[in-house]
């Protein structure tokens, strides 16, 4: 029966399931309701410092409880478009259980395509979130763990530390790099010192303190956990390899187009069931149709959102205004998007 309903929905209503077709009607009763998403209500927005926000969300009850260290995709509406970015949850499962809330701590960028709009979210307004994702979690079997954070990479470690038991036997040392006077959540770290007897941290910056390696006690490090920019991860990987220390990481990096935007090029699109080579001279929708790839679509002009899909990785250009996406996960519309790099899509 489910296969029959899915067939009818795809072929008659251009949606994966029938509920998506009735989305506008349901939203009158439940704001921001969307098929395949969870809803969350904005319960707090706090400025932490220059270009940093703490956003507190209350997810709907059916949202699965996360494990400290995991991340979500956050989706908001901006100028009629659904735009998404991935952020690590900055609070643990303990807070969610006790209060029904969780926090995101986000660096904002004035010229970004997403974060400048977060400060405009109204209290009690609704956003969409994904399932908790990722396997970057604390190993409670480790006796001596060193944490290495860079910038906003502190967020998973805050969540992990908040969920650690007070009577823990693990020794945890945090090395936190950021620009001078730009370290986030220092007040939270100081409170953790009183609750966790075997926890310590150091606030560092590259210009004054140099490499993290001189702050790592090899004798007292069973594992190194890293969250920060790509350069930090590369350095940490080389360090751990040379000293035979296990390493686990959650690192982020920006990628740039490999070809000039006005130059014809071909890119590979990684799809659910195989790869496809496409041109950057036409929309993704047209490219898929030329390869006889079955795609759900409607108006073909960026109005109805029926060709919407999840871009997991890669950069696309919006054909309406020339705006480039970044490399992170987000919702795109195939009919108005052109490939600028290799892509990974979830149709």
């Amino acid at each position: 029966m489910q296969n029959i309903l899915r067939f009818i929905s795809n072929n008659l209503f251009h949606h994966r399931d029938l509920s998506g077709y009735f989305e506008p009607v349901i939203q009158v009763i439940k704001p921001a309701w969307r098929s395949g998403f969870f809803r969350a209500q904005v319960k707090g927005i706090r400025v932490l410092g220059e270009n940093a926000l703490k956003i507190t969300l209350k997810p709907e009850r059916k949202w699965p409880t996360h494990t400290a260290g995991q991340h979500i995709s956050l989706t908001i509406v901006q100028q009629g478009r659904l735009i998404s970015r991935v952020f690590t949850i900055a609070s643990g499962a303990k807070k969610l259980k006790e209060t029904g809330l969780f926090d995101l701590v986000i660096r904002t960028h004035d010229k970004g395509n997403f974060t400048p709009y977060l400060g405009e979210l109204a209290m009690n307004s609704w956003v969409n979130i994904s399932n908790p994702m990722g396997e970057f979690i604390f190993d409670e079997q480790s006796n001596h763990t060193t944490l290495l954070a860079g910038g906003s990479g502190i967020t998973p470690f805050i969540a992990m530390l908040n969920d650690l038991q007070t009577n823990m036997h693990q020794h945890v040392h945090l090395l936190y790099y950021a620009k001078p006077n730009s370290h986030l959540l220092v007040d939270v770290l100081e409170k953790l010192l009183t609750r966790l007897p075997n926890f310590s941290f150091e606030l560092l910056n590259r210009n004054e303190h140099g490499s993290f390696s001189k702050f790592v006690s090899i004798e007292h490090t069973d594992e190194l956990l890293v969250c920060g920019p790509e350069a930090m991860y590369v350095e940490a990987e080389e360090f751990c390899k040379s000293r035979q220390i296990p390493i686990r990481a959650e690192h982020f990096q920006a990628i740039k187009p490999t070809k000039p935007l006005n130059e014809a090029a071909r890119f590979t699109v990684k799809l659910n069931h195989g790869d496809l080579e496409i041109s950057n001279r036409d929309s993704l929708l047209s490219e898929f149709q030329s390869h006889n790839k079955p795609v759900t679509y409607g108006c073909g002009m960026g109005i109805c959102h029926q060709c919407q899909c999840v871009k997991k990785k890669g950069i696309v250009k919006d054909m309406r205004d020339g705006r480039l996406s970044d490399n992170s996960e987000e919702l795109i519309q195939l009919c108005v998007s052109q490939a600028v790099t290799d892509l990974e899509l979830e149709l």
Side-chain angles (χ1 to χ4, degrees), residues 277-313:
E277 186 178 284
I278 64 169
S279 167
N280 67 339
R281 309 310 285 175
D282 211 339
S283 71
L284 292 173
L285 176 60
S286 296
E287 286 293 313
F288 287 169
Q289 289 174 329
S290 69
H291 287 83
N292 297 316
K293 193 75 176 177
V295 181
T296 299
Y297 69 97
C299 68
M301 298 183 293
I303 298 174
C304 71
H305 293 272
Q306 292 188 31
C307 64
Q308 182 175 280
C309 74
V310 177
K311 174 180 70 67
K312 306 292 288 185
K313 295 179 182 178

Side-chain angles (χ1 to χ4, degrees), residues 60-174:
E60 56 185 333
R61 291 182 181 178
K62 65 180 181 179
W63 187 69
T65 300
H66 69 291
T67 301
Q70 290 189 303
H71 54 270
I72 60 165
S73 176
L74 173 67
T75 300
I76 63 174
V77 179
Q78 178 58 33
Q79 298 178 348
R81 303 175 184 173
L82 290 175
I83 53 177
S84 302
R85 294 294 185 274
V86 174
F87 300 104
T88 301
I89 302 171
S91 56
K94 181 180 178 182
K95 176 173 180 174
L96 181 67
K97 181 179 180 180
E98 293 176 349
T99 67
L101 306 172
F102 70 82
D103 300 321
L104 300 176
V105 174
I106 299 171
R107 288 282 190 191
T108 60
H109 304 278
D110 293 338
K111 297 182 180 180
N113 296 331
F114 186 92
T115 57
Y117 306 116
L118 294 178
E120 301 173 3
L121 292 173
M123 286 292 295
N124 296 317
S125 62
W126 292 87
V127 296
N128 294 114
I129 58 175
S130 69
N131 278 305
M133 300 176 287
E135 299 179 356
F136 188 62
I137 59 178
F138 192 86
D139 182 4
E140 296 183 359
Q141 303 303 314
S142 175
N143 292 319
H144 300 278
T145 302
T146 298
L147 311 177
L148 176 60
S152 58
I154 189 64
T155 51
F157 298 138
I158 292 291
M160 293 175 188
L161 291 167
N162 275 321
D163 270 5
L164 284 181
Q165 299 299 318
T166 303
N167 61 351
M168 71 165 194
H169 298 292
Q170 298 102 328
H171 289 74
V172 181
H173 187 54
L174 168 67

Side-chain angles (χ1 to χ4, degrees), residues 4 54 85 138 262 285 315:
I4 294 174
K54 177 182 176 181
R85 294 294 185 274
F138 192 86
N262 59 352
L285 176 60
I315 299 175

